[in-house]
Structure formats: C-alpha cells, structure tokens
Amino acid sequence: IGNIYDKQGNYAEALKKHFEALAIEKAIGDKFDIATTCRDIGDVYDNQANYSEALKMYLEALAIYEEIGDKEGIAISDMNIGQLYTSLNKTKDAQNYLSRALALSKAIGLKEYSRDSYASLAIVDSMMGNYKAALAEHKLFILYRDSLSNEETQKETLQSAMQYEYDKKEAISKAEQEKKDA
C-alpha cells in the first residue's frame, strides 16, 4: 500500500504505511522484509528530495542485505545509493556504488540492474568529464536495453503462439462435443 501511495505522489501516506509495515517486520524479526521496507522508505524520501533521510534508509537496507547475504538486495541498494550520490553531485561516491552494483548485477545475471547501472554510470562519467567512458557505458546500456526488449518480444510471441494452439484445440474439442450432443 505504501508503494502505491508513493507512485501516486501521496508521500505522507506512503511513509505512514511503510513505517507501519516496518514496525510489524521488526516485531517478528523478518530481516529481509525490514531491509526491503527500509529501501522503500528511502525511495519515498528520495522522491521528496529529502536526500539525507533517503541515504540513511538506503544504507540501513544495504547493511541488512549484506548481513543476510541477499545479493540482489545489495545490488539494488548500491544502485540506489549511487543514484542518490549522483543527485548530490558526489560523483566519486556515486561511481563507487554504481560500479559495485554493476559488478554484482552482472555476476548474478540481473540484466535489468546491469542496464540501469550502465545508464547511471554514463551520467556520472559525463558529469566527471570522462566522455569516452560515458559513451562506452551508454552503448552498453543500449545493448542491455535492446537485449531485454528482444527477450520480452520473444516471450510475447511464444505466449501468443501457445494461446493460439490452445484456442485451436479448444475449438476442435468444443465442435466434437457439440457433434456428440447433436
């Protein structure tokens, strides 16, 4: 519910719901959900441009993800922190976190996060005047974006073909049943 309020721009309600969830998660000791909710709270603060609170929540989430060994959570948190540092024009810190996010995303095969890391690194390198690196990262972003788009298209095509075959068999079965009934 907090995420929905966040997407609607109702940040006060989003924070209220996230903090309610966080209290429950802490009461039952669910570290994964605690980390995820901290990250979600960080997103709300980030959307409000309250970067100090967002950073605090992202770092808390990162610490918990590292403690429980959740690599995807670590990669997302690193990317969030890197993007936040980019907003603060702290390019060296941004580059460190984004590079870490990219390496981990590639290592565990998270193409979406690799794509986003390359896009963010291109921005940071451009801000730092490293235009050659920024161009190379932008090209890799495009490569990952197109690859993910092609995979989605292939999935949709396969799904359509399977649906067509199912509908065809269903129609034949229905026609046979109607023939028997007649």
Side-chain angles (χ1 to χ4, degrees):
I1 294 172
N3 288 335
I4 292 168
Y5 279 127
D6 184 28
K7 289 198 185 322
Q8 292 175 338
N10 189 345
Y11 302 127
E13 281 299 313
L15 288 171
K16 179 182 170 191
K17 293 299 181 186
H18 283 312
F19 279 113
E20 287 173 7
L22 188 59
I24 295 168
E25 293 156 359
K26 285 183 176 180
I28 61 175
D30 187 338
K31 289 187 178 196
F32 174 81
D33 284 341
I34 291 169
T36 302
T37 300
C38 286
R39 192 180 72 219
D40 290 341
I41 292 169
D43 288 343
V44 176
Y45 284 135
D46 195 6
N47 290 336
Q48 292 178 307
N50 185 346
Y51 298 128
S52 62
E53 288 299 315
L55 182 59
K56 191 166 40 172
M57 297 309 293
Y58 287 153
L59 289 170
E60 187 175 337
L62 177 60
I64 296 169
Y65 284 132
E66 287 175 337
E67 179 185 332
I68 63 175
D70 185 301
K71 292 180 180 181
E72 183 174 350
I74 294 168
I76 295 168
S77 295
D78 281 343
M79 190 171 7
N80 288 341
I81 294 167
Q83 290 170 339
L84 188 138
Y85 278 135
T86 302
S87 298
L88 295 173
N89 206 23
K90 294 185 176 184
T91 53
K92 201 67 185 158
D93 291 328
Q95 191 174 46
N96 289 337
Y97 278 98
L98 291 170
S99 294
R100 220 173 80 133
L102 176 61
L104 189 53
S105 296
K106 287 172 72 174
I108 59 178
L110 299 172
K111 289 182 181 180
E112 295 91 354
Y113 301 131
S114 296
R115 173 200 62 204
D116 296 345
S117 295
Y118 276 123
S120 296
L121 279 166
I123 292 167
V124 170
D125 275 327
S126 181
M127 290 169 68
M128 296 173 74
N130 301 334
Y131 301 114
K132 193 172 188 177
L135 177 61
E137 289 155 351
H138 183 71
K139 286 179 180 180
L140 289 166
F141 158 73
I142 298 294
L143 185 71
Y144 272 85
R145 183 197 65 193
D146 291 350
S147 172
L148 287 166
S149 178
N150 288 340
E151 286 177 18
E152 189 62 33
T153 301
Q154 287 175 349
K155 285 180 190 175
E156 289 171 2
T157 302
L158 179 61
Q159 188 175 17
S160 293
M162 291 172 65
Q163 185 65 44
Y164 173 76
E165 286 299 317
Y166 174 79
D167 290 345
K168 191 166 91 174
K169 287 179 184 176
E170 189 71 22
I172 291 170
S173 175
K174 187 176 178 181
E176 288 175 359
Q177 185 62 40
E178 287 176 357
K179 188 177 180 181
K180 284 181 186 177
D181 290 347

